[in-house]
Each structure stands twice: as C-alpha cells, then as structure tokens.
Amino acid sequence: MKLGNRSLFKRLKEYFNDVFIAKNSSVKFVFVGKGGVGKTTLCSLLATALDQEGYKVLAIDANPDAHLAQFLGVHTLQSIAEEHYFMNAILDGHDCVLRHTFTPKDFIETVIERFGVSWGTQSKVISLGSGKYGGIECFFSEKSALWSMIRSVSKKNYDVILIDTESGLEPLRQGFGSNIDILVTLFQSNQRSIHMAKDAKVLAQGVAIEHVVRVLSGYHNEVEATKVEDALGEQIDFKFPYLDSINQSSIEGSLVTLDSLWQKSMRNFALDLYSLGAKTVA
C-alpha cells in the first residue's frame, strides 16, 4: 500500500520516532548470530573499547542465558525478568510500585537506577535475566518491555547502547530490531552460519535497519576468510580470528584479554561503528 511516494510502514515508523524517541538519542547496536559464534565476547570487547575511549556505554544482556555482565567483570546482577511490577509498569505505561505515571524517559532511568550495575569508567550493564525455567513460558513480554524501554534513551544519558541477544534471529523475526541503528551479525566459516548472515540482512531490511555490519568470527587464515567472503557474496566488514586467549577466557569465565595488536584493532573497529551509528541519530 502506498501513500504518496512513501509506504504506510515508513510513515508510521516516522510518526513513532517523533513520538517515542528522544532527539539526539543514543547510538544503538544489536548483536545477532548462532550460538557460540562470539556475540557476547565481541559485545563485551566493543563495550570495553568504547568505555576506555570516554564514551558512556549501556550494555544490555537480552539473552536469558546471560553472560555479558561476567565478561565485563560484573558478577552480581539482578534480573529484570524477576521483577514483575517493573515489567508491567513498562508495558502498561504506569509504575505500579510508585503509583505515579511515568514517561518512557522516566522508565529507563528508573530501570537503570534499580537494576544497572556500574563497570568501567562511567558505564552500566543491565540484564533481562532468566528467572524462568523449563517450558513455563517464553520471554516475549519481557523482551517487549526491554525493546520499548531502550527507545527512550537519549544521548545525554548514554552515548551508546550495546544489546547482546539470544542465539539465532528471533529478535528480528519478532520485530524487536526496529529503531536499532546498526545490526552486528556474527558468523563463522560454515554454510549454516553464512546462510544465517544472509537471512539477517533480509530481516534487517524488514524492520528498516539501515546498517548491517558483517563480522567473521573465529577464522584461522586468510584463505579461509576469502572463501567465506565468496560464499557470502559481500564484503566482510571485520574479521576476528580464532584466539587461544579468548577460548581460555570463555572456559574460565574470566575477562577477555587481547594482545596489543588486537586491542588496537578492536578499538578502531569500535570507533568506526560508533561513528557510523552516530550519523543515523544526528
């Protein structure tokens, strides 16, 4: 359906942006990929690099199997999903606990104040958390609240938001990726993972994510990387090799350490991503 030269979806999206999204909003990234490709590792490394550069980072673990906080050096974190009053407040538009009508801006500040844990120089991490077990019910309501919440974060609160998601492409299929500035898709050197990267781009277009960044994770040599790029049919934006130090950190559940060469590479990649995203919210 067309209205003038613009689709109905585009006009509704523009209206939604004007109503719900603060001007000069934070740059928002979401990380997707199959299980074990390194989403949490890369998310934590980019978060650390941006924090060290002086940016105020809000890291959000939207994966029920939560590990992002641990990778950032935070070991005690309260689950948002376990706090039903706050979940209902976000979804219903009022705060049941404080008996006060809140704006979206108030919601995010309240949630971060209550659930956020400081790390780095001036950053925080919050977690959707688990709190549900074996087939009781899905996390759809919790994820709806989370994605509604992040739309309201302005740049004066946080320069950048990094969201680590569950395995697969469900956030995109469920439409939760709207109002994200950059989709970071991680994949490895196998056909299933490459096909998922292709699907991610198609789904991103469906929720109007303008920038899709493709990251090859865990490759062993340049010949392998070239073959993967040929199979993908597009240029790989960043290649992250297999590193024993990362594998060991994952086994131990400890902070990831990189040598100076890869620290510099990660820093440059983080700054390039932020610069790209900042152009979309200026």
Side-chain angles (χ1 to χ4, degrees):
M1 177 179 181
K2 294 286 185 180
L3 295 178
N5 294 323
R6 296 182 296 171
S7 67
L8 175 61
F9 176 80
K10 186 172 182 179
R11 292 190 62 182
L12 289 174
K13 183 174 184 294
E14 290 173 353
Y15 171 77
F16 182 86
N17 289 347
D18 290 339
V19 173
F20 290 103
I21 300 178
K23 299 298 181 183
N24 297 315
S25 61
S26 305
V27 179
K28 302 175 183 68
F29 301 89
V30 63
F31 295 76
V32 298
K34 294 177 66 64
V37 297
K39 293 188 303 296
T40 302
T41 299
L42 183 65
C43 184
S44 65
L45 289 171
L46 293 179
T48 301
L50 289 168
D51 176 82
Q52 290 175 349
E53 288 297 315
Y55 292 99
K56 194 173 183 181
V57 179
L58 177 61
I60 300 178
D61 197 334
N63 187 348
D65 186 17
H67 296 291
L68 179 60
Q70 188 177 16
F71 274 53
L72 294 172
V74 174
H75 297 280
T76 302
L77 197 63
Q78 188 176 5
S79 164
I80 297 176
E82 296 174 3
E83 297 290 333
H84 300 294
Y85 283 116
F86 273 81
M87 301 307 299
N88 290 333
I90 295 167
L91 291 171
D92 297 340
H94 64 278
D95 194 307
C96 306
V97 179
L98 301 179
R99 300 181 183 279
H100 179 72
T101 300
F102 274 35
T103 66
K105 173 185 173 183
D106 294 323
F107 279 132
I108 187 64
E109 292 177 351
T110 301
V111 170
I112 294 175
E113 180 180 349
R114 176 158 182 170
F115 300 100
V117 177
S118 297
W119 63 273
T121 58
Q122 54 181 343
S123 300
K124 284 196 174 183
V125 57
I126 61 175
S127 176
L128 175 67
S130 52
K132 293 183 178 180
Y133 305 94
I136 297 176
E137 53 181 313
C138 71
F139 279 87
F140 191 84
S141 62
E142 283 83 354
K143 289 189 289 186
S144 296
L146 176 69
W147 290 99
S148 297
M149 189 172 62
I150 64 172
R151 296 184 182 114
S152 307
V153 184
S154 67
K155 190 173 181 180
K156 71 177 184 179
N157 299 121
Y158 290 91
D159 297 299
V160 58
I161 301 174
L162 303 178
I163 308 164
D164 185 25
T165 65
E166 69 264 43
S167 301
L169 300 177
E170 285 310 301
L172 296 176
R173 291 195 174 99
Q174 294 170 349
F176 291 134
S178 60
N179 302 298
I180 292 300
D181 301 302
I182 295 181
L183 176 72
V184 182
T185 304
L186 280 81
F187 60 99
Q188 293 180 322
S189 304
N190 61 73
Q191 289 300 315
R192 291 182 62 188
S193 193
I194 292 170
H195 282 304
M196 189 230 64
K198 293 180 178 179
D199 291 342
K201 183 174 182 179
V202 174
L203 291 170
Q205 292 172 341
V207 292
I209 298 177
E210 182 178 355
H211 300 296
V212 178
V213 173
R214 290 159 292 273
V215 178
L216 175 60
S217 172
Y219 77 102
H220 293 85
N221 53 60
E222 288 301 323
V223 173
E224 177 184 331
T226 299
K227 289 181 178 179
V228 171
E229 195 165 63
D230 289 341
L232 183 65
E234 293 187 77
Q235 183 179 355
I236 296 170
D237 299 293
F238 187 76
K239 295 178 292 186
F240 199 52
Y242 175 86
L243 296 173
D244 287 331
S245 59
I246 289 182
N247 185 54
Q248 190 62 33
S249 296
S250 298
I251 293 173
E252 298 173 353
S254 59
L255 293 176
V256 177
T257 57
L258 299 175
D259 60 36
S260 58
L261 177 63
W262 279 104
Q263 284 179 345
K264 181 178 180 180
S265 180
M266 192 60 60
R267 169 186 173 277
N268 291 338
F269 182 48
L271 293 177
D272 286 346
L273 281 183
Y274 182 78
S275 177
L276 177 63
K279 293 176 182 178
T280 69
V281 299

